[in-house]
Amino acid sequence: MQKLKSKFDKLYDSDEDGADKKDFYQQQKDELQSYVDNTRQAMEELADINYRWSGEYVKIVIEDMPYEFIDKFNPATPVVVGGIPNEEGLSLINIRIKRHRWYPRILKTGDPIVISVGWRRFQTIPTYYMNDRIKNRMLKYTPEHMHCSAVVYGPYVQPGTGFCAYFLKRAHNFGIAGTGSVLENTPSIDIVKKVKLTGFPEKIHKNTAYVGKMFNSSLEVAKFEGASIKTVSGIRGQVKKASGDNGVFRATFEDRVKMSDIVFLRAFHTIPIKKFYNPITSLLSVTAMRSIADIRRAKNVPVPNKADSHYKPIAREVKRFNPLKIPQSLQAELPFKSKPKIVKTNTNAKSRAVVMSKHDKRVATLLGQINLLNKDKTKKQREKVQKQKEEYTKKRMAEEAEADARRKRKRKTYFRIEGQNQRGPRD
């Protein structure tokens, strides 16, 4: 009992020694206050610096303010004033983007889009691509339900920053077209597109051929020297050197090609990135770039209809090869199984008339009648089976529709109850 009393007196009796003892929170608070006092004293000594402490009201004068801001100014709406010193420069931004699941259309390469990231909002022209671990292949449209990469031109952005993309002209009920995150800021990136060039042989000498109508000049041929080529028949070859200034080049093949062959060259072409950056500082008066479809729609310009872009029916001529003729001297040296066998057939047997007797005629008539009855019976049985199958299919469809409606009602009831439980009791 005496021990508890002494402990109580030690905690609650106030004396001068106990008043000086402070807990950890009070010590930290005193250190912070002393730091603030020292800072104030140091700043007061520097009278030349015009500074303001946090919490004070200041007056800011902004020049060249647009009149729309004054006209539409609302004092109840806060205005954030500041700058981003580390994000002033412009570069290519590599992003990872996915079409929003509620946006009804896929995104197209080359259509101007507005990206809202951090404190910035700007319009740019994206180039979508997909990396296949070897090269960055350009995509004309974004995938339906997958992420893809894109390159845009804009200010420096911290990697890992999330963003959302939308179009200024809202044509759908849901405005956000895509979301994603920033991967990196890069000075340059190589995005390639598949190119298929076609040419036709103009002169053939053994396994060498001069191919034309593929390039327009010797400079273009020089870029593809050593490239692999292939004909329609599957003969592989290689581009050697240009022959003249009209784009004709010399090529070697595995086998002799024909004048009717078509020569293909499959390659990849680097796509230039469009460096377009249009900052959107105010939504009251926006000068934005329009897409090609919007310009055509505004000026009533039809979509170009190129005859070469239409699909045409493929008509391939059947090649008739001459029969193989083996010389008699070579046939004599071949083994028996490799020699051509000529079997003479009696052609008179097919053209010979057959005269049946009365008994044969009755037998043939009886067999024909039996076959007719059998065919009729099989046809009726097949129709019966088909009718039963259709009735069964209708029955199953009705059962499935009823089951779907029942599952839908159960799911609706379940989610309504779950929503009420998460919302909690109403006041």
Side-chain angles (χ1 to χ4, degrees), residues 13-162:
D13 288 348
S14 59
D15 52 359
E16 295 181 357
D17 296 336
D20 296 338
K21 294 181 180 180
K22 300 179 181 179
D23 56 359
F24 178 77
Y25 173 74
Q26 192 64 30
Q27 292 177 2
Q28 295 295 326
K29 193 173 180 180
D30 293 343
E31 290 180 4
L32 182 61
Q33 185 63 33
S34 63
Y35 176 76
V36 172
D37 295 339
N38 294 335
T39 305
R40 283 183 177 274
Q41 184 179 359
M43 294 299 293
E44 289 176 357
E45 294 176 358
L46 302 175
D48 298 337
I49 301 177
N50 188 10
Y51 63 91
R52 290 293 181 269
W53 294 99
S54 60
E56 295 182 355
Y57 288 93
V58 296
K59 181 180 179 181
I60 300 175
V61 178
I62 302 176
E63 298 180 354
D64 298 332
M65 180 64 70
Y67 75 93
E68 294 91 354
F69 182 84
I70 306 299
D71 189 24
K72 305 293 183 180
F73 179 71
N74 184 9
T77 303
V79 178
V80 180
V81 180
I84 311 176
N86 297 330
E87 300 180 5
E88 293 295 336
L90 299 176
S91 70
L92 296 178
I93 307 173
N94 195 6
I95 60 177
R96 188 168 180 262
I97 189 171
K98 180 183 179 183
R99 180 188 68 88
H100 199 280
R101 57 190 296 183
W102 292 346
Y103 195 72
R105 298 180 63 184
I106 55 179
L107 311 181
K108 182 181 178 182
T109 294
D111 282 351
I113 195 169
V114 179
I115 292 180
S116 177
V117 52
W119 294 104
R120 299 186 182 275
R121 180 172 52 215
F122 57 92
Q123 189 183 34
T124 184
I125 298 177
T127 303
Y128 304 106
Y129 71 92
M130 189 79 76
N131 185 279
D132 57 0
R133 298 186 180 182
I134 299 176
K135 59 183 75 67
N136 298 323
R137 299 188 61 173
M138 191 200 79
L139 299 176
K140 190 174 182 181
Y141 299 97
T142 56
E144 191 76 20
H145 304 290
M146 284 177 55
H147 281 88
C148 71
S149 300
V151 174
V152 298
Y153 186 70
Y156 293 117
V157 183
Q158 188 74 16
T161 307

Side-chain angles (χ1 to χ4, degrees), residues 322-352:
N322 297 328
L324 180 63
K325 293 182 179 180
I326 303 175
Q328 294 292 336
S329 59
L330 183 59
Q331 288 186 22
E333 297 178 3
L334 292 175
F336 178 78
K337 65 177 182 179
S338 300
K339 290 181 179 180
K341 302 341 184 258
I342 301 175
V343 181
K344 294 183 179 180
T345 57
N346 188 5
T347 57
N348 296 328
K350 295 182 179 179
S351 60
R352 188 181 302 163

Side-chain angles (χ1 to χ4, degrees), residues 72-326:
K72 305 293 183 180
F73 179 71
N74 184 9
T77 303
V79 178
V80 180
V81 180
I84 311 176
N86 297 330
E87 300 180 5
E88 293 295 336
L90 299 176
S91 70
L92 296 178
I93 307 173
N94 195 6
I95 60 177
R96 188 168 180 262
I97 189 171
K98 180 183 179 183
R99 180 188 68 88
H100 199 280
R101 57 190 296 183
W102 292 346
Y103 195 72
R105 298 180 63 184
I106 55 179
L107 311 181
K108 182 181 178 182
T109 294
D111 282 351
I113 195 169
V114 179
I115 292 180
S116 177
V117 52
W119 294 104
R120 299 186 182 275
R121 180 172 52 215
F122 57 92
Q123 189 183 34
T124 184
I125 298 177
T127 303
Y128 304 106
Y129 71 92
M130 189 79 76
N131 185 279
D132 57 0
R133 298 186 180 182
I134 299 176
K135 59 183 75 67
N136 298 323
R137 299 188 61 173
M138 191 200 79
L139 299 176
K140 190 174 182 181
Y141 299 97
T142 56
E144 191 76 20
H145 304 290
M146 284 177 55
H147 281 88
C148 71
S149 300
V151 174
V152 298
Y153 186 70
Y156 293 117
V157 183
Q158 188 74 16
T161 307
F163 69 90
C164 67
Y166 63 93
F167 293 97
L168 282 177
K169 188 176 180 181
R170 184 169 174 176
H172 307 284
N173 294 330
F174 193 76
I176 298 177
T179 56
S181 60
V182 177
L183 298 179
E184 61 176 349
N185 300 290
T186 176
S188 63
I189 186 171
D190 292 333
I191 299 177
V192 296
K193 185 174 78 170
K194 187 168 63 174
V195 177
K196 188 176 182 181
L197 305 176
T198 59
F200 303 92
E202 295 185 354
K203 194 185 296 183
I204 300 172
H205 179 68
K206 293 185 179 180
N207 291 359
T208 303
Y210 290 89
V211 183
K213 298 183 180 180
M214 183 179 290
F215 303 107
N216 296 322
S217 63
S218 58
L219 181 61
E220 294 182 3
V221 178
K223 292 183 179 180
F224 289 92
E225 282 186 3
S228 299
I229 55 179
K230 194 175 183 180
T231 64
V232 176
S233 55
I235 302 174
R236 295 174 294 182
Q238 189 179 23
V239 177
K240 291 300 182 182
K241 283 191 176 182
S243 176
D245 296 333
N246 54 354
V248 179
F249 63 92
R250 180 172 58 87
T252 57
F253 294 90
E254 294 176 334
D255 197 0
R256 184 183 178 90
V257 298
K258 295 183 178 181
M259 293 295 291
S260 60
D261 272 334
I262 303 175
V263 183
F264 294 105
L265 190 150
R266 293 181 175 89
F268 289 94
H269 172 64
T270 304
I271 302 298
I273 306 299
K274 297 178 181 178
K275 295 184 178 181
F276 174 75
Y277 170 67
N278 180 22
I280 298 176
T281 57
S282 174
L283 294 178
L284 299 176
S285 60
V286 181
T287 303
M289 176 183 284
R290 295 181 294 175
S291 63
I292 297 176
D294 294 337
I295 296 173
R296 287 175 181 161
R297 205 176 294 115
K299 297 186 176 182
N300 293 326
V301 177
V303 179
N305 188 8
K306 297 182 180 180
D308 294 339
S309 300
H310 290 270
Y311 289 101
K312 301 175 183 177
I314 301 174
R316 301 190 185 277
E317 297 181 359
V318 179
K319 294 186 178 181
R320 300 186 181 275
F321 298 95
N322 297 328
L324 180 63
K325 293 182 179 180
I326 303 175

Side-chain angles (χ1 to χ4, degrees), residues 413-426:
T413 304
Y414 171 77
F415 283 114
R416 186 176 67 252
I417 296 174
E418 285 294 322
Q420 293 175 356
N421 294 336
Q422 291 179 4
R423 196 182 302 117
R426 296 183 179 179

